[in-house]
């Protein structure tokens, strides 16, 4: 099984095409995994769990003004790898202090030329003037992206769009830009504006995932977080000191009702009871951790599927607002 994860880790870094992971759930091949580069290669003769591999989402912020600072902090909290571009050293330093993973202190055109973009790239344009907005938007619309949002008054936004349309940019592409940026919640302060921007990004992300699940029927959008992959290979924070420990990877493969986390959500459980990431907390997670620990201690199986039925009454007893039935796949790593 570790051969699959080694292949996955390499492919996530190098492959430009969409990747899928397939796990056989029943029969003699239960627990066997394959990395797919096309859905046409899916197994059809057995029940399988198939997920599109999402890369760590990247938030690219053009401009490091006062609104950008809370956007950086909130983006990091939500799991984005944050890149900030600004050609002013003082503002670039502010972005670093706010926790940006990467700061490019150079002209916008130069920095954007080195950012390829992909379906997991989320672009936020909050520059200091319409000239820079135009430059950034023109460059970004030539790249693949998950989301493009631009801050500005209606007049400023209209001016940028007209200018780019006059330069031959498709009006269809221009209409897909989220302007004015953010959900309309009456935001006024930089922090409130940041909330509206990230809320719109969350809405777009979850809507896209739902559409993919509906379109693929049995294909969900999953993710192998970098921290989980690092721990599987004994690298990164917490990975080195736990390198010798047994591990079980828990993945939600189906849910009914109002379970807290979506299909494809993952959690890594170590034999000392510690975990990386979460599948929702509460009694669902506690039960899965106990099953994973038992699996490691007995060594009876390397793969199993567990069903946790959290009725409304049980959820209320545990003080949870969520209920439902969750099916979780457990794999010894």
């Amino acid at each position: 099984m570790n051969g699959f994860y080694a292949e996955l880790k390499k492919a996530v870094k190098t492959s430009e095409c969409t990747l899928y992971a397939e796990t056989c759930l029943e029969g003699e091949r239960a627990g066997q995994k394959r990395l797919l580069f096309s859905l046409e290669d899916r197994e059809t003769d057995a029940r399988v769990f198939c997920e599109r591999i999402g890369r760590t989402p990247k938030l690219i912020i053009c401009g490091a003004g006062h609104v950008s600072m809370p956007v950086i902090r909130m983006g990091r909290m939500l799991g984005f790898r944050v890149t900030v571009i600004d050609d002013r050293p003082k503002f670039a330093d502010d972005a670093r202090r706010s926790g940006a993973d990467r700061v490019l202190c150079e002209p916008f055109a130069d920095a954007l030329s080195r950012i390829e973009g992909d379906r997991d790239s989320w672009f936020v344009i909050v520059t200091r003037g319409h000239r820079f907005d135009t430059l950034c938007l023109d460059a970004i619309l030539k790249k693949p992206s998950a989301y493009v949002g631009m801050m500005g008054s209606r007049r400023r936004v209209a001016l940028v769009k007209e200018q780019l349309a006059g330069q031959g940019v498709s009006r269809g592409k221009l209409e897909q830009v989220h302007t004015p940026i953010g959900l309309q919640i009456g935001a006024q302060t930089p922090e409130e504006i940041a909330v509206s921007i990230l809320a719109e990004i969350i809405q777009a992300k979850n809507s896209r995932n739902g559409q993919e699940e509906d379109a693929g029927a049995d294909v969900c959008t999953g993710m192998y977080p970098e921290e989980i992959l690092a721990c599987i290979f004994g690298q990164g924070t917490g990975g080195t000191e736990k390198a010798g420990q047994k591990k079980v990877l828990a993945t939600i493969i189906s849910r009914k009702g109002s379970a807290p986390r979506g299909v494809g959500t993952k959690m890594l459980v170590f034999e000392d009871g510690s975990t990386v990431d979460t599948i929702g907390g509460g009694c669902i997670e506690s039960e899965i951790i106990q099953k994973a620990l038992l699996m490691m201690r007995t060594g009876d199986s390397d793969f199993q599927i567990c069903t946790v039925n959290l009725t409304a009454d049980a959820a209320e007893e545990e003080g949870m607002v969520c209920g439902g039935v969750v099916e979780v796949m457990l794999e010894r790593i």
Side-chain angles (χ1 to χ4, degrees), residues 137-151:
L137 186 58
D138 185 31
I140 290 168
L141 289 180
K142 295 173 182 175
K143 307 174 186 292
S145 64
Y147 168 97
V148 181
M150 184 172 68
M151 190 171 71

Side-chain angles (χ1 to χ4, degrees), residues 31-84:
Q32 291 185 11
K33 305 179 78 70
R34 292 195 302 157
L35 187 64
L36 308 179
F37 296 87
S38 170
L39 286 177
E40 294 179 357
D41 299 327
R42 276 188 298 174
E43 172 68 59
T44 57
D45 296 329
R47 184 190 176 201
V48 299
F49 175 65
C50 189
E51 54 188 328
R52 182 185 73 79
I53 305 301
R55 294 169 172 81
T56 299
K58 297 173 285 292
L59 183 64
I60 300 98
I61 305 171
C62 298
H66 60 296
V67 170
S68 297
M69 300 306 110
V71 173
I72 293 168
R73 293 191 289 269
M74 292 181 195
R76 288 290 309 279
M77 289 173 62
L78 292 170
F80 288 87
R81 179 173 175 79
V82 180
T83 295
V84 180

Side-chain angles (χ1 to χ4, degrees), residues 143-196:
K143 307 174 186 292
S145 64
Y147 168 97
V148 181
M150 184 172 68
M151 190 171 71
S153 66
R154 295 187 184 278
R155 181 177 179 279
R156 176 168 157 178
V157 166
L159 183 64
V160 170
K161 287 185 175 182
E162 284 302 316
Q163 186 172 342
L164 290 178
Q167 295 173 7
V169 177
S170 162
R171 287 195 177 273
K173 280 190 173 183
L174 290 169
E175 290 308 312
Q176 292 175 9
V177 179
H178 293 260
T179 56
I181 195 171
L183 296 184
Q184 301 307 303
I185 59 174
Q188 296 182 11
T189 67
E191 291 75 16
E192 289 176 347
I193 294 170
V195 168
S196 76

Side-chain angles (χ1 to χ4, degrees), residues 68-117:
S68 297
M69 300 306 110
V71 173
I72 293 168
R73 293 191 289 269
M74 292 181 195
R76 288 290 309 279
M77 289 173 62
L78 292 170
F80 288 87
R81 179 173 175 79
V82 180
T83 295
V84 180
I85 304 170
D86 203 297
D87 56 357
R88 300 166 294 178
K90 178 184 180 303
F91 288 81
D93 286 341
D94 290 342
R96 292 187 185 95
R97 283 192 290 270
S98 290
D101 297 284
R102 182 186 183 198
V103 177
L104 303 177
C105 185
E106 55 189 271
F108 291 107
D110 294 346
L112 286 169
S113 69
R114 297 192 286 110
I115 295 175
E116 294 182 359

Side-chain angles (χ1 to χ4, degrees), residues 159-287:
L159 183 64
V160 170
K161 287 185 175 182
E162 284 302 316
Q163 186 172 342
L164 290 178
Q167 295 173 7
V169 177
S170 162
R171 287 195 177 273
K173 280 190 173 183
L174 290 169
E175 290 308 312
Q176 292 175 9
V177 179
H178 293 260
T179 56
I181 195 171
L183 296 184
Q184 301 307 303
I185 59 174
Q188 296 182 11
T189 67
E191 291 75 16
E192 289 176 347
I193 294 170
V195 168
S196 76
I197 292 172
L198 270 303
E200 184 173 64
I201 287 175
I202 291 169
Q203 183 184 64
K205 176 174 66 68
N206 291 345
S207 174
R208 182 185 73 170
N209 291 351
Q211 290 169 1
E212 287 179 340
E213 288 182 34
D214 291 342
D218 58 346
V219 179
C220 79
T221 301
M223 179 175 290
Y224 287 82
E226 290 181 358
E227 187 177 3
I228 282 182
L229 283 179
C231 286
I232 287 174
F233 292 100
Q235 302 166 352
T237 304
T240 304
E241 58 267 32
K242 296 178 183 292
Q245 288 199 33
K246 297 174 184 177
K247 312 171 189 67
V248 166
L249 182 65
T251 305
I252 296 177
I253 60 173
S254 74
R255 68 171 187 169
K256 295 178 181 178
S258 57
R261 300 297 300 275
V263 174
T265 303
K266 294 174 174 58
M267 174 180 69
L268 189 65
V269 183
F270 290 95
E271 64 178 318
D272 64 1
S274 61
T275 61
V276 174
D277 223 316
T278 175
I279 56 170
C283 46
I284 290 179
E285 186 164 300
S286 177
E287 182 170 340

